[in-house]
Amino acid sequence: MADQYLLGTIMASILMFFLLVGFWGCKRKAHLAPGNRSSCGIRAEKGGTGTDVIVVGAGVAGSALAYTLGKVRRAFASLFDFPEDGRRVHVIERDLSEPDRIVGELLQPGGYLKLLELGLEDCVGEIDAQRIVGYALFKDGKGTRLSYPLEKQHADVAGRSFHNGRFIQRMREKAASLANVQQEQGTVTSLIEENGTVKGVVYKTKSGEECKAFAPLTIVCDGCFSNLRRRLCSPKVDVPSCFVGLVLENCLLPFPNHGHVILGDPSPILFYPISSTEVRCLVDIPGNKVPSVANGEMANYLKTVVAPQVPIELHAAFIEAIDKGNIRSMPNRSMPAAPHPTPGALLLGDAFNMRHPLTGGGMTVALSDIVVLRDLLRPLHDLHDASSLCKYLESFYTLRKPVASTINTLAGALYKVFSASPDRARIEMRQACFDYLSLGGIYSSGPIALLSGLNPRPMSLVAHFFAVAVYGVGRLLLPFPSLKGLWIGARLISSASGIIFPIIKAEGVRQMFLPATVPAYYRVPPPS
């Protein structure tokens, strides 16, 4: 009898628990229903919708962040809408139609690992994305293959290349599938500030109506053309070159499933697949001005200067792409992260930090930053203590450095090394880099692990960079040293130092190599 009574008590308790949880879940879903979130008038009142985070921009960074902060647990918790992070996210994007860009098309293996960590790996599915397993490097008609060191990774881990717009639309769909993520088309014009604290944003809707949205945390991810970054950082944007983009159709790359880098004159030329039938070509042109497309100068430049340097397998398709006339260009921007810690706001993605796109590292940095930010925000239930939250999130700028600074520094250094120069020391450095990578083994796998985001270690980057320089000096001094060889070798070391040290200085020496010595590194979450 006692056993039956005990069993009945346990069953009744379990039933009561499920009823209470179900009631709480229904209330939460009603609170998040679209009808309660879509009125501009409601949003204009502080706290009107209980939004936790406003995300400005729905590109790769903004969409991935919105999904990450808004996603719910699967299995048992998802039945009752238990939040994993409990964030109600309002995404405001200038244009929700599919973007059409010529960059952001190559995701390195390190970035794919971050996709897996964020639960977004299916976003590279159903868009005809191509698996990338390494690079092919060409110089003066000679080629060498450089494979990603994927031996210790799961079989699915590799790079991916695709149409940027298709990938972004998949990310947006993934974020919008969550009940507590609201996407809205609108143009954010300014931040709302009170006593130095960002409280929300002012934006214009698609219909032109001016609205205000409020949240305890606003994260700006509106890309390289951000009009909000000046309030949140010290932007020192450099434009070292421009990319001219073409799409080659129905042609075979010399090395399938590889990115191709031609060390051309005056600067690199890139080829990589973006679908099963298309190959993207990006021609780098130094400076911030390119020949005119309208008057035919660009077509003439591509045919007379670039085409003779293109691998023979791609030559006919390259000329055909020029004749079709769909030639596009965009400036390549570089901007170190120099944030102004601001209560209530944070920068992310290309609005915050850019590097030369030669190495395709931008999405890897952004996704890695989102993982860091997710882990920092996870223990916080209340985001309203703006001052404490701001001090705590200063650790974000240090914790992101190993990945970000390695990829940023490598991108800037490789672009300078790979570009042609009349300087004999730079010529020797370029040849030494090609020969060093061609040696295979650790000499190629080490640098490629850095480039791919699989080994984000700044010290390893510096070691390999100067190993290339020393290798170049050795080539000059063997078999018999000469005064001329010694002089050029000394200039080579000096040139290598002049390339990498300014980039490291801009990234922050202490944060890059000794992050554990930065006080913010140890900050604990404010009490919630």
Side-chain angles (χ1 to χ4, degrees):
M1 190 71 176
D3 291 343
Q4 291 179 345
Y5 177 77
L6 178 61
L7 181 61
T9 302
I10 293 173
M11 293 297 293
S13 299
I14 292 174
L15 180 61
M16 182 63 70
F17 172 76
F18 274 95
L19 287 173
L20 287 173
V21 169
F23 175 71
W24 181 87
C26 289
K27 283 186 69 178
R28 177 175 170 78
K29 286 180 178 177
H31 176 71
L32 294 171
N36 291 340
R37 313 185 262 150
S38 59
S39 167
C40 184
I42 291 176
R43 280 196 302 272
E45 299 177 12
K46 295 184 182 181
T49 61
T51 301
D52 295 310
V53 181
I54 294 170
V55 175
V56 181
V60 171
S63 299
L65 179 67
Y67 175 77
T68 299
L69 296 184
K71 71 180 177 181
V72 296
R73 286 178 181 161
R74 307 186 187 280
F76 172 82
S78 64
L79 295 175
F80 303 104
D81 198 26
F82 277 167
E84 181 174 273
D85 290 302
R87 312 300 181 199
R88 289 157 293 181
V89 185
H90 182 187
V91 184
I92 306 172
E93 162 60 35
R94 183 183 59 82
D95 185 358
L96 285 171
S97 62
E98 184 174 310
D100 184 14
R101 303 180 65 207
I102 64 171
V103 293
E105 298 172 318
L106 178 61
L107 180 67
Q108 297 288 0
Y112 184 76
L113 286 174
K114 298 302 178 183
L115 273 190
L116 287 169
E117 194 171 345
L118 296 171
L120 289 164
E121 67 277 7
D122 56 342
C123 291
V124 296
E126 301 178 7
I127 60 172
D128 200 14
Q130 302 299 297
R131 183 181 172 90
I132 301 297
V133 297
Y135 279 87
L137 194 62
F138 293 83
K139 185 179 185 296
D140 301 329
K142 297 179 181 179
T144 185
R145 182 161 53 179
L146 311 170
S147 298
Y148 293 135
L150 301 172
E151 298 80 10
K152 297 180 181 179
Q153 303 294 336
H154 184 274
D156 189 48
V157 176
R160 295 293 192 279
S161 55
F162 38 68
H163 281 270
N164 172 268
R166 295 176 188 174
F167 180 58
I168 287 178
Q169 289 302 90
R170 289 279 286 161
M171 300 272 273
R172 289 173 177 173
E173 291 166 9
K174 187 88 171 179
S177 69
L178 301 180
N180 50 335
V181 174
Q182 176 198 4
Q183 283 187 1
E184 181 178 10
Q185 184 161 306
T187 302
V188 175
T189 55
S190 63
L191 301 172
I192 299 171
E193 294 185 55
E194 289 183 11
N195 301 319
T197 298
V198 174
K199 299 290 187 177
V201 298
V202 178
Y203 67 101
K204 288 188 177 180
T205 65
K206 189 177 180 180
S207 62
E209 182 182 6
E210 186 171 279
C211 293
K212 295 179 180 179
F214 295 88
L217 181 60
T218 298
I219 303 178
V220 176
C221 313
D222 55 347
C224 62
F225 299 107
S226 174
N227 65 330
L228 303 176
R229 69 159 63 100
R230 288 190 176 277
R231 171 63 185 84
L232 304 174
C233 76
S234 300
K236 297 179 181 178
V237 181
D238 181 34
V239 182
S241 66
C242 297
F243 266 158
V244 174
L246 300 164
V247 175
L248 283 56
E249 298 179 343
N250 300 311
C251 60
L252 296 176
L253 289 164
F255 295 93
N257 301 108
H258 284 68
H260 291 59
V261 181
I262 290 84
L263 303 188
D265 188 358
S267 52
I269 307 161
L270 309 181
F271 294 92
Y272 51 88
I274 54 174
S275 75
S276 53
T277 61
E278 298 166 297
V279 170
R280 168 67 70 196
C281 171
L282 292 174
V283 178
D284 185 87
I285 298 180
N288 54 17
K289 292 184 179 180
V290 297
S292 170
V293 174
N295 64 14
E297 286 181 4
M298 178 63 77
N300 182 62
Y301 175 85
L302 294 174
K303 286 183 176 180
T304 58
V305 177
V306 180
Q309 304 178 69
V310 170
I312 189 65
E313 297 93 332
L314 302 172
H315 191 272
F318 182 75
I319 297 297
E320 184 179 347
I322 297 171
D323 291 338
K324 283 186 177 179
N326 188 20
I327 303 171
R328 301 171 59 196
S329 65
M330 71 163 292
N332 294 323
R333 290 174 168 82
S334 176
M335 185 182 75
H340 297 158
T342 305
L346 197 72
L347 274 172
L348 207 69
D350 282 350
F352 173 49
N353 183 204
M354 294 180 281
R355 76 290 310 148
H356 196 284
L358 171 68
T359 58
M363 290 187 288
T364 300
V365 172
L367 294 170
S368 175
D369 284 354
I370 290 168
V371 170
V372 172
L373 185 59
R374 176 202 65 182
D375 294 342
L376 285 172
L377 292 177
R378 190 188 298 277
L380 300 179
H381 301 292
D382 182 9
L383 303 177
H384 285 84
D385 187 348
S387 179
S388 296
L389 179 63
C390 180
K391 289 181 180 178
Y392 170 60
L393 289 182
E394 284 183 27
S395 60
F396 166 75
Y397 303 118
T398 302
L399 293 169
R400 69 181 292 274
K401 277 296 180 179
V403 174
S405 62
T406 299
I407 292 174
N408 293 346
T409 304
L410 185 62
L414 274 186
Y415 177 70
K416 291 185 177 181
V417 171
F418 281 178
S419 296
S421 171
D423 184 356
R424 177 67 188 278
R426 290 281 297 276
I427 293 171
E428 291 294 337
M429 185 70 178
R430 192 187 199 206
Q431 185 64 50
C433 188
F434 180 83
D435 292 343
Y436 183 89
L437 293 170
S438 301
L439 292 173
I442 188 63
Y443 306 106
S444 65
S445 64
I448 294 301
L450 292 164
L451 181 148
S452 63
L454 294 171
N455 178 31
R457 297 178 182 172
M459 284 303 300
S460 181
L461 165 61
V462 174
H464 277 289
F465 189 81
F466 280 103
V468 170
V470 171
Y471 179 78
V473 173
R475 291 174 65 256
L476 289 167
L477 300 183
L478 294 175
F480 302 107
S482 66
L483 288 176
K484 183 179 180 182
L486 285 168
W487 170 243
I488 296 173
R491 287 182 53 222
L492 192 157
I493 296 293
S494 175
S495 177
S497 301
I499 288 173
I500 197 167
F501 286 146
I503 302 173
I504 290 174
K505 182 180 178 182
E507 289 292 320
V509 177
R510 187 179 177 188
Q511 292 88 344
M512 187 170 174
F513 294 101
L514 299 167
T517 68
V518 180
Y521 188 87
Y522 301 100
R523 290 208 175 127
V524 297
S528 293

